[in-house]
Amino acid sequence: MMNTLKIGTYEFTSRLLLGTGKFADLDTQSRAVEVSEAEILTFAVRRLNLDNPDEPNFLEKLDLKTYTLLPNTAGAYTAEEAVRIARLAKASGLCDMIKVEVIGDQRTLLPDPIGTLEASRILVEEGFTVLTYTNDDPILARRLQEVGVHAVMPGASPIGSGQGINNENNLRFIIEEAKVPIIVDAGIGSPADAAKAMELGADGVLLNTAVALADDPVLMAEAMKLAIEAGRKGFLAGRIPKKRYASASSPVEGMIE
Amino acid sequence: MTLQVNGKTITLTDVTNISGLLAFYQLEKKILVVERNGEIIDRSNYADTPIMDGDRIEIVHFVGGG
């Protein structure tokens, strides 16, 4: 079916991948996740707080049969750190998917392309289902596919910036020659940004801050879901080319005199 | 016996293996992963994996993140 998203051996109906960070409270988060109809949820791997092991944890509230977990390697600045985090995530026994994220700069949080490629290569070899967060660089996207990643996730703009799509042209180049799903990840600020990514032909959108920090995260989750559906349908329907001058929608024949 | 657990130095008596360590912290029912001296310990081996003086233990779990 043309409207399912296939990543490795997985298949999904929803094309919205939702991050689980920055939500003000677990109840809002639960409702936002439900309304979004997302099937893939990202998580980070961190030390358990041994001084307060019973502090509320969103994962423990989730029906793990309903959702596919996509742990990330956030916090890693080298390929080695990313691989270590990925192995820890897989050892949970809950998932074999990993969002590879190797950051190269603290201020912009832009990915380190060399470390990203190296970590992706190793984790593909180890049998993970690898979704790689990357710069919006068409050549790097190609190199990632050559090492066997299962999805390429170019950033629209810096993580959490809400700037939307900074380089439409590069995204288009990446999408045009893609052999695996392209999921626009990071920088999405509004439903218009998400719809735009889908209209460009992206296979999905991964976002977090735009929902978590919206004035009404639950309503924004629904808006994003609808925007992604609309963008997808718009892409499949095929938009008209842009023209310089007007073209009347009503017949020019048969005017009364 | 003195260990590093999640970056903190702790002195323990009567704890001999990973199972005992998790019981000490009351974590038996948690979804977590344990690493001992950089090596991930499979859950089925918690009882058989000794902890020794100077071990570096990491106990991690999933938290909200993008």
Side-chain angles (χ1 to χ4, degrees):
Chain A
M1 191 177 137
M2 71 181 172
N3 247 348
T4 61
L5 170 62
K6 293 192 181 104
I7 302 173
T9 57
Y10 296 84
E11 200 165 336
F12 303 97
T13 309
S14 164
R15 290 172 182 274
L16 167 58
L17 292 74
L18 194 62
T20 60
K22 299 183 184 169
F23 281 87
D25 62 85
L26 292 190
D27 180 54
T28 305
Q29 182 169 18
S30 296
R31 287 187 293 130
V33 166
E34 194 182 333
V35 164
S36 76
E37 294 179 15
E39 294 165 291
I40 304 173
L41 301 177
T42 65
F43 286 90
V45 177
R46 290 292 179 270
R47 283 174 169 167
L48 208 148
N49 179 4
L50 299 172
D51 296 326
N52 186 12
D54 289 324
E55 67 190 352
N57 181 292
F58 182 63
L59 186 76
E60 289 172 3
K61 284 175 157 265
L62 270 187
D63 177 1
L64 295 173
K65 290 190 196 76
T66 309
Y67 297 99
T68 300
L69 305 189
L70 176 57
N72 64 35
T73 65
Y77 277 78
T78 65
E80 293 73 25
E81 287 166 2
V83 168
R84 183 182 181 195
I85 295 169
R87 288 173 181 157
L88 285 165
K90 196 177 186 183
S92 69
L94 298 178
C95 48
D96 75 350
M97 267 196 185
I98 192 76
K99 169 178 163 175
V100 173
E101 180 175 347
V102 180
I103 297 302
D105 177 68
Q106 270 181 341
R107 189 169 52 89
T108 61
L109 297 179
L110 289 173
D112 170 4
I114 313 295
T116 297
L117 183 64
E118 178 63 4
S120 299
R121 185 188 63 75
I122 294 168
L123 293 170
V124 167
E125 271 178 21
E126 293 190 9
F128 285 80
T129 299
V130 176
L131 294 78
T132 301
Y133 165 63
T134 169
N135 309 69
D136 57 356
D137 176 349
I139 311 305
L140 181 57
R142 190 188 299 162
R143 294 290 298 270
L144 286 164
Q145 291 172 76
E146 285 167 6
V147 301
V149 302
H150 301 87
V152 175
M153 305 205 292
S157 52
I159 294 172
S161 72
Q163 290 174 20
I165 299 170
N166 275 355
N167 193 337
E168 228 173 78
N169 222 29
N170 271 13
L171 271 187
R172 218 179 256 121
F173 291 153
I174 292 170
I175 290 164
E176 272 171 11
E177 66 167 48
K179 294 179 179 63
V180 300
I182 303 300
I183 295 163
V184 173
D185 176 6
I188 297 294
S190 73
D193 299 336
K196 183 74 199 177
M198 296 306 293
E199 279 193 61
L200 290 173
D203 298 282
V205 170
L206 196 167
L207 54 88
N208 184 343
T209 308
V211 166
L213 296 188
D215 289 342
D216 184 338
V218 181
L219 192 56
M220 187 58 84
E222 186 182 9
M224 289 296 188
K225 179 195 78 164
L226 294 171
I228 288 165
E229 286 174 8
R232 176 66 180 170
K233 286 181 180 174
F235 168 71
L236 293 173
R239 62 151 298 150
I240 58 163
K242 289 184 184 177
K243 283 187 282 198
R244 183 158 189 156
Y245 295 108
S247 148
S249 299
S250 307
V252 291
E253 304 295 315
M255 282 295 295
I256 51 170
E257 288 180 19
Chain B
M1 176 166 57
T2 301
L3 311 168
Q4 288 276 329
V5 183
N6 284 3
K8 283 187 184 170
T9 304
I10 181 167
T11 302
L12 292 175
T13 49
D14 301 334
V15 174
T16 58
N17 57 36
I18 299 289
S19 289
L21 186 68
L22 295 180
F24 173 79
Y25 286 113
Q26 300 183 320
L27 299 175
E28 298 102 317
K29 289 182 181 159
K30 293 276 171 194
I31 299 170
L32 51 76
V33 180
V34 179
E35 201 188 65
R36 173 178 176 256
N37 299 329
E39 189 183 325
I40 294 169
I41 308 300
D42 194 271
R43 256 169 303 165
S44 58
N45 295 331
Y46 285 166
D48 303 327
T49 304
I51 51 175
M52 299 188 201
D53 195 51
D55 274 358
R56 287 171 297 109
I57 309 283
E58 295 285 346
I59 303 173
V60 302
H61 68 156
F62 288 124
V63 301

